[in-house]
Amino acid sequence: MRSMSQAMPSNAASREDRADDPVVVALRQRLGARAIGVQATLTGMPVVWLARESLCDALALLRDMPEPFEMLFDLSAVDERLRSRREGLPEADFTVFYHLLSVSRNRDVMLKVALAEGDLTLPSVRSLYPNADWYEREVWDMFGIVFRGHPHLTRLLMPPTWEGHPLRKDYPARATEFDPYTLTVEGQEREQRALQFDPEAWGMQRESEDTDFMFLNLGPNHPSAHGAFRIVLQLDGEVIVDCVPDIGYHHRGAEKMAERQSWHSYIPYTDRVDYTGGVVNNLPYVLAAETLAGIEVPERVKVIRVMLTELFRVNSHLLYLGTYLQDLGAMTPVFYAFTDRQKAYEVIEAITGFRMHPAWFRIGGVAQDLPRGWERLMRDFLAWMPKRLREYERAMMDNAIVRQRTRHIAAYTTREALAWGVTGPNLRATGLDFDLRKQRPYSGYEQFDFEVPVGANGDILDRGRLRIEEMRQSLRIIQQCVDHMPAGDYKADHPLTTPPPRERMLEHIETLITHFLQVSWGPVLEANESLAMIEATKGINGYYLTSDGSTMSYRTRIRTPSFPHLQQIPAVIRGALVSDLIAHLGSLDFVMADVDR
Amino acid sequence: MNGSTEMLVVVLAAMAQALAILAGALLLAAVMTVVERRLLGLWQDRHGPNRVGPWGSLQLVADMIKILFKEDWIPPFADRALFVLAPAIAMASLLLSFMIIPWTPTWGVADWHIGLLFFFAMAGINVYAVLLGGWSSGNKYALLGAMRATAQTLSYEVFMGLSLMGVVALAGSFNLRDIVAAQQGLWFIVPQFFGFCTFLVAGVAVTHRHPFDQPEAEQELADGYHIEYSGMKFGMFYVGEYLGMVLVSALIVTLFFGGWHGPWLPPFVWFALKTAALLVLFVLLRASLPRPRFDRMMSFGWRVCLPLTLINLLVTGAAILWLSPAAD
């Protein structure tokens, strides 16, 4: 580790490892030059290797420096044992990485710690970043890495009775590699007993001086849990004394699947992560893959992607609005919202051929060119929506009961939001203007004219109103796409564009072979690491891809916005009523697939 | 002998009338379950149930068949006796209340001087249905729903009674026929507008209709007190809700809208039309309003409705004394 900077390929060191970045310099000053190695990657941020002992020091420094790194954006691990192309990197069987985000600097930094198989322990950093709690549990669950000092290091995504750590490389991914699954009556009872809530395990009292608490198991089947989400409430009457969210019921191993799908054939899996977001999920994945491949896509591709992303944003926000109001007890708006969503789907269907899961973006482009007549469909939709949005506002958001239910309820400050890793509209509702489409434009967002609405109180009302305003802005963007759709190709002219443009396939033997290989095996991407973050429908969605120079990803880390949003619930809702919790859940805009992956 | 035969005929006629009213009320409540869904469909920009029979007219039959053949499950952790008793109370207390409603000048079951008080008594008993149902289910959601229902109904019944005292004072009687007769010239909604408003609110509250459906609050309590009920026992709670709606609508018509009074049309048609309009109002409330939070609703009852009814009663009393010819 000592001389790693020198060991890096020398031509890349100056450009890609960002060793002269002020953050790296500050870390070097604090920890000493020897303690630090810098890795050159395509992640667009300094990636710093640390010794385990200096981890807490480094995190504390970054969190408390002027213009601090306020947010622990992501924390996960990589099983390095089968990675063949890791020249210049420290010896490691497992690597744990901490991705920090600074809003004030609009910069990121990633810290990595190498661990040996015999000693998989790290200090817990919960005291520095509260949202490390769930991330550390997830890493323990998936990799078996122990975080010392974590008060509740138990399974998070897998069932409590699970054996093994699924994201380890020696853990099989196919059903055929396991014994057939059976569930006996005794087995079922054992599983159910394991799910029984034990208040003492969470440090909760069963009774206080003058009251017996009720422990209410809300979910995983509950009309307002928005999917298979469970939250156990400690109730005094209807006042929530404390609560424990329990997730994992929707876990489908999306990250594991990425390790056995080709770069191309993984695209449909991304659709199913934030399943109300459709192609929005494809975007960070293909952006990250294109960074690895070195593909620059044509202007037309960028604009098509932006247009569909914004259309899906409107679609997702409409679902949000309908269910948000339904959770407040208004039964009608959801039907209107679904009427509007159908209008959006008519355009989506015409363009992509699918509704919820188009899987329509490709590495290097999109699946097809826009169909003839798409402008007319899109213009019809753009003409339809604005008056509907006005109607929602007048009929519902201005309603006295809605205001009473939502104003100053379940509110949190910008500071708290950042500490818990809250992003997207839920963060902007606190008054912070942080939207990646403006702050770090990708896919050509810098060319569009739109505003980022922000709230003030960070309460349920602001979160609801913000979404309506965001829909207006999205419609503005779509309008600009329709008006200025550039001519050109819908796929990049690049050898790694997948699948290669069919029109050029039959020209000569070289293109035919490329086509054959890419369709049968899939493209081979250079060994490197890349990371793409986008402003998805619910917050910042990030794909962190590690390539080992093969047809498949070595590690795909999916950072989803809903995960930290759920983790924050207890901190927000303690002392509120059950009704407030339901309203809060409705205002967060989460789907469980986006939490559990 | 002759006298007793006549007596028998009168008794039989009265029984037939009572049975007809019972069947009519039940049928109306059952039909309302479908009408409500069609109306909601209309206001929610969708069709509603329109598949069974012409224009969905046989939906009710399909629903009946379904609910009658569902497994009637009693959870092993429930208190059996109370669990069975609760839906019976729910339905019986409401059905009995229909006795006092004068449908037309000649139709009606009981012509009592305590008419209105009987309704209050039955509404009071109705609370037990929810309370016992929720408690005996052995389910936490049901218990929370029952707690809400009890608190809500008790608070709203306090001023429900008071809101009608103005009407009683104006008519000088608890007998509903006397009250209808007293509205010959002017419907009581005019002099008793605030009484009407508060009674409407209380009426919606005691029937647990939206926005006062806190005990059920699907989004929060996942159906509240009747969460463990299935089959016809659930059906009794369900029809009970609609019976309550019909009852409160009929009462409002009787107390504030002149009952069967109206020009040209036969009395019963007037009564039916007015009741139908109020039933539609119930459905419209459900289609259009969000649900206030439980604690706000309680404070609304105690801090707004109760003082309003008291002031209304005071003003009514003062006005009656002012306007009445000096007592001898």
Side-chain angles (χ1 to χ4, degrees):
Chain A
M1 181 146 182
R2 200 154 47 86
S3 58
M4 203 177 52
S5 292
Q6 284 81 28
M8 297 268 177
S10 57
N11 60 338
S14 56
R15 283 180 292 116
E16 285 177 353
D17 71 356
R18 295 160 196 268
D20 49 354
D21 189 286
V23 176
V24 179
V25 173
L27 278 171
R28 192 169 281 139
Q29 272 170 3
R30 165 70 74 98
L31 305 172
R34 293 174 161 209
I36 285 184
V38 187
Q39 180 190 355
T41 65
L42 295 171
T43 54
M45 68 185 81
V47 176
V48 179
W49 287 82
L50 299 168
R52 175 164 58 185
E53 296 70 39
S54 43
L55 174 69
C56 288
D57 258 4
L59 285 172
L61 168 77
L62 294 171
R63 194 194 62 166
D64 299 328
M65 69 201 297
E67 299 192 318
F69 285 83
E70 303 95 342
M71 186 189 291
L72 175 66
F73 179 75
D74 196 11
L75 189 177
S76 191
V78 185
D79 180 350
E80 304 266 5
R81 289 172 299 176
L82 297 185
R83 191 165 168 189
S84 51
R85 302 278 306 279
R86 48 195 316 283
E87 297 88 2
L89 299 184
E91 281 293 312
D93 294 325
F94 287 86
T95 307
V96 178
F97 63 85
Y98 298 76
H99 179 170
L100 304 180
L101 186 150
S102 167
V103 170
S104 37
R105 289 170 188 252
N106 194 21
R107 297 293 300 275
D108 291 1
V109 64
M110 186 181 285
L111 307 183
K112 287 187 172 183
V113 181
L115 293 173
E117 209 173 340
D119 182 20
L120 291 178
T121 56
L122 269 176
S124 169
V125 298
R126 263 176 93 252
S127 52
L128 291 167
Y129 291 99
N131 64 333
D133 188 323
W134 276 15
Y135 286 117
E136 288 175 353
R137 281 177 68 191
E138 187 188 347
V139 171
W140 183 82
D141 194 358
M142 292 294 149
F143 295 93
I145 294 167
V146 175
F147 292 87
R148 285 190 315 271
H150 193 295
H152 212 93
L153 200 63
T154 51
R155 297 269 176 197
L156 183 70
L157 297 179
M158 305 307 282
T161 54
W162 201 260
E163 281 167 23
H165 301 286
L167 277 179
R168 289 188 172 193
K169 286 289 177 184
D170 49 12
Y171 191 95
R174 293 170 199 250
T176 47
E177 293 170 71
F178 291 92
D179 292 333
Y181 180 76
T182 51
L183 184 61
T184 56
V185 174
E186 299 84 62
Q188 186 186 343
E189 274 164 11
R190 197 166 52 243
E191 297 289 337
Q192 283 180 354
R193 265 199 309 280
L195 284 171
Q196 189 98 40
F197 182 72
D198 176 18
E200 281 79 21
W202 293 90
M204 288 183 182
Q205 305 285 324
R206 283 182 193 267
E207 61 208 0
S208 70
E209 267 172 37
D210 49 354
T211 179
D212 283 348
F213 297 122
M214 176 195 272
F215 290 92
L216 185 68
N217 185 42
L218 201 140
N221 277 313
H222 185 281
S224 297
H226 293 249
F229 171 52
R230 177 184 182 211
I231 180 165
V232 182
L233 309 175
Q234 182 188 26
L235 293 179
D236 179 5
E238 284 210 32
V239 178
I240 299 169
V241 180
D242 201 354
C243 60
V244 178
D246 179 21
I247 63 169
Y249 296 93
H250 207 313
H251 179 63
R252 296 173 297 186
E255 292 178 13
K256 185 79 175 174
M257 285 302 108
E259 296 172 17
R260 43 161 282 108
Q261 292 289 331
S262 77
W263 294 103
H264 169 64
S265 63
Y266 186 62
I267 294 174
Y269 286 86
T270 65
D271 267 4
R272 284 148 182 83
V273 172
D274 166 12
Y275 55 73
T276 62
V279 297
V280 180
N281 295 282
N282 304 159
L283 189 55
Y285 177 71
V286 297
L287 286 178
E290 281 162 8
T291 309
L292 282 176
I295 300 176
E296 177 68 32
V297 297
E299 280 303 304
R300 184 176 175 83
V301 172
K302 289 185 180 173
V303 178
I304 293 176
R305 284 176 178 177
V306 166
M307 181 171 79
L308 278 164
T309 301
E310 294 306 320
L311 188 56
F312 263 104
R313 190 187 312 279
V314 173
N315 195 17
S316 172
H317 280 11
L318 279 170
L319 176 76
Y320 165 85
L321 189 65
T323 52
Y324 164 87
L325 292 169
Q326 191 167 45
D327 286 346
L328 297 175
M331 73 179 299
T332 301
V334 73
F335 294 103
Y336 283 80
F338 268 71
T339 307
D340 296 348
R341 295 184 77 218
Q342 174 56 28
K343 304 253 177 205
Y345 272 134
E346 274 159 24
V347 188
I348 291 165
E349 262 181 299
I351 293 177
T352 68
F354 289 86
R355 290 167 67 88
M356 273 182 88
H357 303 304
W360 197 65
F361 293 172
R362 295 287 179 271
I363 298 169
V366 292
Q368 290 154 314
D369 207 350
L370 294 171
R372 271 199 304 278
W374 68 272
E375 299 102 324
R376 188 177 48 78
L377 290 174
M378 201 61 112
R379 282 186 209 279
D380 287 350
F381 179 71
L382 290 172
W384 165 265
M385 274 312 294
K387 62 176 188 300
R388 298 285 279 198
L389 293 179
R390 275 196 300 281
E391 204 176 324
Y392 291 126
E393 271 177 338
R394 283 179 41 215
M396 279 292 139
M397 301 315 285
D398 295 342
N399 179 299
I401 299 176
V402 168
R403 300 220 153 201
Q404 207 180 44
R405 285 287 307 270
T406 56
R407 184 171 263 171
H408 303 307
I409 305 288
Y412 48 80
T413 63
T414 305
R415 205 187 155 81
E416 288 161 348
L418 290 172
W420 282 100
V422 173
T423 54
N426 293 347
L427 173 62
R428 291 191 288 274
T430 65
L432 180 71
D433 179 5
F434 188 75
D435 186 320
L436 287 188
R437 293 175 295 174
K438 285 282 188 203
Q439 254 70 26
R440 305 174 184 181
Y442 50 89
S443 199
Y445 268 108
E446 67 279 7
Q447 298 170 17
F448 291 93
D449 185 21
F450 68 101
E451 278 147 38
V452 177
V454 291
N457 300 324
D459 55 9
I460 298 177
L461 181 64
D462 277 6
R463 273 170 253 156
R465 282 159 55 180
L466 202 71
R467 256 88 174 190
I468 295 186
E469 196 48 43
E470 285 207 349
M471 283 193 256
R472 288 216 177 86
Q473 299 301 328
S474 292
L475 293 174
R476 253 175 95 182
I477 298 174
I478 297 172
Q479 183 72 57
Q480 293 167 51
C481 294
V482 176
D483 293 341
H484 308 291
M485 180 60 71
D489 240 338
Y490 66 96
K491 273 185 185 169
D493 186 13
H494 189 282
L496 288 170
T497 296
T498 315
R502 194 176 170 81
E503 304 82 63
R504 274 181 244 132
M505 162 188 135
L506 297 171
E507 283 175 11
H508 45 74
I509 189 71
E510 202 53 50
T511 49
L512 184 64
I513 292 172
T514 312
H515 193 282
F516 176 74
L517 288 179
Q518 287 212 15
V519 171
S520 52
W521 292 347
V524 175
L525 300 189
E526 285 270 341
N528 208 326
E529 295 172 17
S530 76
L531 190 146
M533 292 153 69
I534 68 151
E535 195 66 39
T537 60
K538 295 164 177 56
I540 300 179
N541 187 5
Y543 276 74
Y544 173 29
L545 305 181
T546 304
S547 172
D548 202 26
S550 104
T551 57
M552 290 184 285
S553 164
Y554 184 79
R555 168 92 173 99
T556 298
R557 168 63 185 170
I558 310 171
R559 191 277 182 191
T560 55
S562 301
F563 185 90
H565 292 169
L566 289 199
Q567 188 178 188
Q568 192 203 12
I569 290 174
V572 175
I573 213 69
R574 280 188 198 111
L577 297 175
V578 176
S579 313
D580 296 335
L581 170 72
I582 302 301
H584 181 50
L585 292 181
S587 77
L588 280 179
D589 191 17
F590 63 90
V591 295
M592 282 320 287
D594 197 44
V595 179
D596 295 340
R597 289 153 282 130
Chain B
M1 279 309 278
N2 203 18
S4 59
T5 320
E6 249 174 47
M7 189 74 178
L8 190 69
V9 171
V10 170
V11 167
L12 281 178
M15 280 174 69
Q17 210 182 68
L19 277 176
I21 287 173
L22 176 73
L26 267 176
L27 193 68
L28 184 56
V31 169
M32 269 313 289
T33 64
V34 179
V35 170
E36 165 158 55
R37 280 145 75 195
R38 289 308 294 266
L39 282 176
L40 285 177
L42 181 72
W43 288 319
Q44 292 172 348
D45 214 2
R46 59 190 176 91
H47 291 297
N50 66 349
R51 298 284 108 176
V52 194
W55 304 288
S57 56
L58 295 178
Q59 181 66 37
L60 180 59
V61 180
D63 287 347
M64 294 292 281
I65 292 172
K66 181 190 144 194
I67 210 158
L68 284 171
F69 283 89
K70 278 236 163 154
E71 184 188 357
D72 188 12
W73 189 69
I74 298 177
F77 43 81
D79 183 329
R80 256 189 106 83
L82 291 179
F83 189 82
V84 175
L85 187 63
I89 297 177
M91 200 140 148
S93 62
L94 286 167
L95 274 178
L96 283 174
S97 304
F98 277 93
M99 285 207 299
I100 58 160
I101 308 271
W103 302 93
T104 72
T106 49
W107 277 65
V109 182
D111 183 11
W112 287 340
H113 290 300
I114 57 155
L116 209 48
L117 294 177
F118 183 75
F119 163 69
F120 294 145
M122 284 299 138
I125 288 178
N126 193 247
V127 185
Y128 284 99
V130 179
L131 180 60
L132 296 179
W135 185 77
S136 68
S137 294
N139 179 307
K140 291 174 185 172
Y141 287 102
L143 184 64
L144 284 175
M147 270 161 46
R148 282 186 177 189
T150 313
Q152 172 178 311
T153 316
L154 286 179
S155 347
Y156 277 69
E157 268 180 8
V158 170
F159 69 83
M160 181 168 80
L162 286 171
S163 67
L164 293 185
M165 288 309 116
V167 170
V168 173
L170 283 178
S173 165
F174 279 105
N175 185 320
L176 290 177
R177 284 187 185 278
D178 293 348
I179 292 174
V180 174
Q183 298 179 70
Q184 192 90 48
L186 182 67
W187 291 356
F188 280 160
I189 184 169
V190 180
Q192 283 298 309
F193 182 70
F194 292 107
F196 164 73
C197 291
T198 45
F199 182 72
L200 180 68
V201 170
V204 179
V206 292
T207 52
H208 318 133
R209 285 284 304 183
H210 198 91
F212 295 93
D213 60 346
Q214 305 287 347
E216 291 156 52
E218 189 188 340
Q219 287 81 17
E220 294 159 28
L221 301 183
D223 265 3
Y225 63 89
H226 54 54
I227 190 170
E228 292 289 352
Y229 281 90
S230 62
M232 205 46 220
K233 289 202 197 64
F234 168 76
M236 285 164 89
F237 274 124
Y238 188 59
V239 173
E241 179 185 321
Y242 288 88
L243 275 175
M245 249 168 86
V246 175
L247 178 68
V248 170
S249 302
L251 269 176
I252 292 177
V253 169
T254 309
L255 296 168
F256 294 100
F257 289 93
W260 62 76
H261 288 306
W264 308 305
L265 297 173
F268 181 72
V269 175
W270 270 116
F271 193 91
L273 280 178
K274 292 174 188 173
T275 310
L278 278 165
L279 287 172
V280 170
L281 177 71
F282 267 88
V283 180
L284 188 59
L285 278 180
R286 182 168 175 211
S288 52
L289 287 183
R291 184 187 304 111
R293 208 171 67 183
F294 181 61
D295 57 325
R296 306 262 181 173
M297 235 193 51
M298 296 293 287
S299 66
F300 176 71
W302 288 104
R303 294 205 188 131
V304 179
C305 291
L306 184 61
L308 198 62
T309 50
L310 289 173
I311 292 166
N312 178 52
L313 186 56
L314 277 175
V315 173
T316 308
I320 290 172
L321 287 178
W322 187 268
L323 295 174
S324 65
D328 35 294

